[in-house]
Amino acid sequence: MIRLPVWIFILTCCLVAPPWAVAEEPVSSPHLKHAEDMSLLGNWAEAVTAFQKALAEQPDNGLIWANLGVAFDRTGQHKDALLAFEKALQQGYDTAQFRYLRGLSFAKVDLLAEAATEIERALKMDSQLKFADYDLGLVYAHMGARDKALAQVTKLYRRNNTLARKLYFQMTPEYKIAAVDDGGSLKGKVAMRGSIPKPRVFHLINIPNIKYCSRISDGQGHRILHDFVVGETGALKDTVVAILRVEKGKPFDRKMTNVTINRCQADQYVIGFKNGEDLLLENTDPIKHEMALYEVNGVYKYQVSNKNTMPHTSQVRSLFMKPGSPEMILKCNLHPFIQTRGFMVANPYYAVTDAEGRFEIHDIPPGTYEVIAWHPFIPTETGTVTIKADQTATLDFTFEGDDERRKLYQNDTKGYRFNTVYDSKENFYGGKLEVDPVEILQQFNNTDRYIHVGPSPTE
């Protein structure tokens, strides 16, 4: 039997009960007044008796039959509720809320197809019944119609994100946890050949907190963001390598993903994430950051949340995205060079390449899989690998530098772009400005650098 959230019933099952809906107005009587009072007090057993006495006086009134059905439903007599609802229909009573409640009663006796039909009809009559969208998604999920349930999550995503998230987590996950006793491993390297894409340059004259944020700069008022970190041999850092369509296997890591902001810089530029997981965001800086979370689907971007991260604090952020949005950006709206980008994964078999471009994935169930290599600013690369029991397979990827898909903000470092206040030695966050011994001086050093052209450096 479907266990739908009780709190939703409390909100909806009183909608057909008094105050009366627009329909044939029942003739007032002591029994009807008593039924109304008992409904408002939540004394549903007494309300059933009173509605039945009112029907003895007005047996052809569809609205009283409808309310008797509600009272039966609230006392757990769901089959009797459905009989009362049917009598209401025979008497010509029909509203969107009535159809919705009738659908819920069908669901409670495991008549799922009938429940779906009734709630769908209710939403055609009144598309604003947001709780009906939620319950319809639950019914679809229990019917095994996962695609339809996901469509309800998407529908609710903009209207009521809380309900969308709740529905998403009540669905049975596609990926199943199972023991992997003879798992294999995958390792490899991701490289780039051709010209290295230019870094992006942010002019600090446009940024608040220049005195602090300039601690990582080129010393002339330019903050440099290297979207492509490429080693001398072509190794490409910050690339997510993920195995696709693994149906069951090891669990996701229980450790919460952590992103730390230090000296106006995020310590992780790229992460893999499971939809709906929580991320711990830490701000170790003495200044406020305004961290916004965006879902990304091609050229489409939508701001999911925007919260201030106060100095020396941490907060938990939900990475819940609309189904079908494969990427996310976590970015400071005050200091846009603070960025972390993420790729949504469906299973725990993924890794992010290190400074040597290398990755390793372990405990993989034996089989043949498609593997994807994702970087935020270049088309993905795919490959196929066969994992054998207790063995290690190798798979390398190579990106072409000329294939970058990024629009630069700026890419020049000519000129001095500090605000004049930067040169002041006084009033630096309540005290005198002192030279930071660990200040990081950036270099715009890969504009004209070329790496190995021809066969991949990994070959």
Side-chain angles (χ1 to χ4, degrees), residues 333-345:
N333 284 341
L334 299 176
H335 316 96
F337 40 79
I338 303 176
Q339 298 184 12
T340 294
R341 295 172 179 268
F343 178 75
M344 187 186 297
V345 296

Side-chain angles (χ1 to χ4, degrees), residues 120-165:
E120 287 167 353
R121 182 178 287 114
L123 285 165
K124 287 182 180 178
M125 298 169 70
D126 182 0
S127 62
Q128 300 304 309
L129 293 175
K130 63 183 179 183
F131 294 112
D133 275 315
Y134 171 81
D135 285 324
L136 180 58
L138 281 183
V139 171
Y140 285 150
H142 284 81
M143 292 173 65
R146 182 178 175 81
D147 289 343
K148 288 186 174 181
L150 278 176
Q152 291 304 112
V153 174
T154 301
K155 187 175 180 181
L156 283 166
Y157 187 78
R158 299 283 187 263
R159 295 177 59 191
N160 191 312
N161 192 267
T162 299
L163 283 181
R165 179 183 172 89

Side-chain angles (χ1 to χ4, degrees), residues 180-187 243 349 360-367 369 385-395:
V180 183
D181 297 326
D182 57 350
S185 298
L186 174 65
K187 68 177 182 178
I243 303 177
Y349 295 103
E360 291 188 14
I361 305 173
H362 302 287
D363 300 319
I364 309 168
Y369 302 102
V385 67
T386 297
I387 302 297
K388 297 181 179 180
D390 300 316
Q391 295 186 27
T392 298
T394 301
L395 183 63

Side-chain angles (χ1 to χ4, degrees), residues 167-212:
L167 173 58
Y168 183 81
F169 280 106
Q170 294 203 53
M171 295 171 55
T172 302
E174 285 189 294
Y175 178 76
K176 305 295 191 300
I177 306 301
V180 183
D181 297 326
D182 57 350
S185 298
L186 174 65
K187 68 177 182 178
K189 184 175 181 180
V190 178
M192 175 173 283
R193 63 186 176 188
S195 59
I196 301 175
K198 297 178 180 179
R200 283 187 287 167
V201 176
F202 296 81
H203 298 160
L204 292 179
I205 195 170
N206 302 317
I207 305 299
N209 315 114
I210 295 177
K211 293 179 181 178
Y212 188 80

